Amino acid sequence: MKAHIANGWKSLKNQFYIVILLFLYQLIWGYFLYRLVHSAVTPLLMRYPDPPPNEISQLLYYIEGKMSLATSGKVHMYLGILLLMFLIRLLLTPFIHAGIFHGLHREREGEIGLYFFQGMKRHGKTVLLFHLFEWALMAVPAYWIVLKVYRTILSGMPMETIALQLLPYIAAWLLYNYIIHQLILFMQFGKTGGTGLLAPLWLCLRGALPLIAISVVLGMISLLLFGLFAGISFFWSGIIALILLQGHHLVSCTMKIWGISAKFDLWHHQAHRSSEE
């Protein structure tokens, strides 16, 4: 496990330009999202009664807001833009992963360079199909859980009881999502590397223990870094908090690439050992 994490870190350093690209991508995305939310929320807050409202003016404010949600074209426009942005980001993610995978494969062949966009072009559609399949597998039990949540809420039980009843289902769904994600991730490694689809599944199962260890270790590091950034931002608000918030995007991108690189090294090691046997 330690060797895979260390080799993943080496791969990360060799392709650190991808981290920079993802960091800039996050900044640009966050800026447009901020501008959209600011243009939608600020006019709404400007209509809040001032001085502090009494019961009647507050009730009128809520009634006006409810009518706007039902009839206003602007509300529907903003919701449509948010949905469109979400879909664009969802579709861009597989192409980003395709570029990362291609760069890792070329690195294992001894070639280090700017292969990110070449990988997006060569493997983007293939990785997109894998993501669509993964999302479908995750959505099927999610639909059942949503129905379960809806029926439980309608039963009128206290929220504490509802939470205790639903917690095992949500935990099981998260575990299911993790397993599906790791299996399909190894399949993507194999497909983009030209080694087929079924063999990576066996490699993933055979390397399950180090794979889980990599996820736990890097996940704990990510949580510690997030807690550190959040704690400092909480006590030192203002420009320092803003800088730390933007800087955390760089850290999160780094941890994401590190995790993929470490798991790729595990897959490559398992595939190499299997070929020797």
Side-chain angles (χ1 to χ4, degrees):
M1 180 268 293
K2 293 181 180 179
H4 299 309
I5 292 178
N7 291 334
W9 179 255
K10 293 178 183 177
S11 298
L12 169 67
K13 291 191 295 183
N14 291 332
Q15 302 189 76
F16 198 75
Y17 73 95
I18 298 180
V19 176
I20 302 300
L21 290 175
L22 292 182
F23 173 60
L24 295 175
Y25 167 72
Q26 291 281 9
L27 286 181
I28 294 172
W29 192 267
Y31 173 77
F32 280 109
L33 185 61
Y34 164 76
R35 295 299 303 174
L36 177 66
V37 174
H38 182 269
S39 63
V41 174
T42 301
L44 181 64
L45 294 178
M46 293 289 289
R47 297 184 63 84
Y48 195 75
D50 186 26
N54 53 38
E55 292 184 2
I56 296 178
S57 59
Q58 190 174 14
L59 179 61
L60 291 175
Y61 176 77
Y62 290 143
I63 292 174
E64 180 188 7
K66 185 176 180 180
M67 293 179 62
S68 297
L69 288 174
T71 60
S72 175
K74 279 191 174 182
V75 174
H76 297 157
M77 179 189 70
Y78 283 122
L79 291 176
I81 293 174
L82 282 174
L83 179 61
L84 180 61
M85 291 178 66
F86 173 75
L87 290 176
I88 292 174
R89 186 178 177 90
L90 204 63
L91 293 176
L92 281 177
T93 299
F95 288 88
I96 292 173
H97 286 176
I100 297 171
F101 299 155
H102 186 65
L104 291 171
H105 284 297
R106 298 304 292 267
E107 183 196 9
R108 284 297 185 274
E109 296 171 0
E111 302 178 16
I112 299 176
L114 304 177
Y115 296 111
F116 179 72
F117 294 104
Q118 184 183 85
M120 293 178 68
K121 182 178 180 180
R122 180 175 297 183
H123 302 296
K125 293 180 181 179
T126 301
V127 177
L128 175 61
L129 292 177
F130 277 104
H131 277 69
L132 292 175
F133 181 60
E134 179 180 351
W135 295 334
L137 290 177
M138 292 179 177
V140 172
Y143 176 76
W144 180 82
I145 290 177
V146 169
L147 292 179
K148 180 73 175 178
V149 170
Y150 181 71
R151 295 192 189 103
T152 306
I153 292 175
L154 290 182
S155 65
M157 293 186 294
M159 292 303 298
E160 294 81 3
T161 305
I162 293 175
L164 289 175
Q165 284 192 359
L166 296 178
L167 187 60
Y169 296 101
I170 296 175
W173 181 68
L174 292 175
L175 178 61
Y176 165 80
N177 286 352
Y178 173 79
I179 296 172
I180 292 297
H181 179 71
Q182 305 311 316
L183 290 172
I184 293 181
L185 181 64
F186 269 59
M187 291 175 68
Q188 292 174 79
F189 290 155
K191 183 62 177 178
T192 54
T195 60
L197 295 175
L198 297 180
L201 292 176
W202 165 243
L203 297 178
C204 181
L205 294 174
R206 192 168 71 171
L209 290 179
L211 179 61
I212 295 172
I214 291 171
S215 300
V216 171
V217 171
L218 295 183
M220 290 180 63
I221 294 175
S222 298
L223 286 176
L224 288 173
L225 291 174
F226 173 77
L228 178 63
F229 276 74
I232 296 175
S233 301
F234 179 79
F235 288 106
W236 290 345
S237 58
I239 187 64
I240 297 179
L242 180 61
I243 294 173
L244 288 174
L245 179 62
Q246 299 305 320
H248 183 261
H249 290 309
L250 179 62
V251 175
S252 63
C253 292
T254 301
M255 296 303 302
K256 179 179 180 180
I257 304 299
W258 190 5
I260 293 176
S261 300
K263 293 172 184 178
F264 180 88
D265 184 76
L266 172 62
W267 167 82
H268 187 269
H269 173 75
Q270 294 284 350
H272 182 71
R273 191 174 69 176
S274 178
S275 64
E276 291 180 345
E277 295 174 355

